[in-house]
Amino acid sequence: MSKRVLLVEDEPNIIEAIRFILSRDGWAVDTHVDGASAVDKVLAGPPDVLVLDVMLPGKSGFDILKELRAEPATVDLPVLMLTAKGQGRDRELAERYGVTCFMTKPFANAEVLDTVNALKAGALGQV
């Protein structure tokens, strides 16, 4: 069974860390760095799991999530939102827009891996 994740993140160090831990577990990891074109990238071939940063150039992760939830093809796509902004209002906004899971940076590698695997398996509900 293939496991494909799309990571929408603009920090090179975070991209490499997540790519390393997920690919080591058998995930095919695609990356995208631009918020403005992220929705088109997802819709062109929805992954099994989307890992989405909040602060991106061109468009915020919140806006991307809101647009994806309005599309029939991605209304149920498992989305892990990563952010350095861990304030309660950020989590509330992510929940309002339909995030599946919310995680703050810095994160533990094992936590990201376990969460992505659980999202693929359907073992995690909404936040």
Side-chain angles (χ1 to χ4, degrees):
M1 175 171 64
S2 70
K3 301 187 296 185
R4 205 166 69 71
V5 65
L6 174 61
L7 171 61
V8 181
E9 169 66 63
D10 63 326
E11 280 294 323
N13 293 339
I14 293 174
I15 291 169
E16 286 312 307
I18 291 175
R19 182 195 315 269
F20 177 76
I21 59 174
L22 293 178
S23 62
R24 193 174 62 185
D25 192 58
W27 284 87
V29 181
D30 293 326
T31 61
H32 194 74
V33 298
D34 180 41
S37 58
V39 171
D40 292 336
K41 174 75 173 176
V42 174
L43 293 175
D48 296 312
V49 176
L50 174 64
V51 179
L52 181 62
D53 187 18
V54 169
M55 295 185 296
L56 292 162
K59 187 181 291 186
S60 81
F62 295 124
D63 291 336
I64 293 165
L65 179 62
K66 186 177 179 182
E67 288 181 40
L68 290 173
R69 291 304 186 226
E71 294 287 336
T74 54
V75 69
D76 294 321
L77 175 66
V79 177
L80 167 59
M81 185 167 270
L82 293 176
T83 182
K85 300 172 60 174
Q87 292 94 353
R89 72 173 184 264
D90 294 323
R91 181 180 292 270
E92 291 168 12
L93 188 58
E95 289 174 8
R96 186 174 334 132
Y97 291 156
V99 75
T100 317
C101 195
F102 188 89
M103 190 178 294
T104 56
K105 299 173 188 174
F107 49 80
N109 290 351
E111 184 181 17
V112 171
L113 179 60
D114 291 346
T115 301
V116 169
N117 280 320
L119 288 170
K120 167 77 167 119
L124 289 179
Q126 293 291 111
V127 184

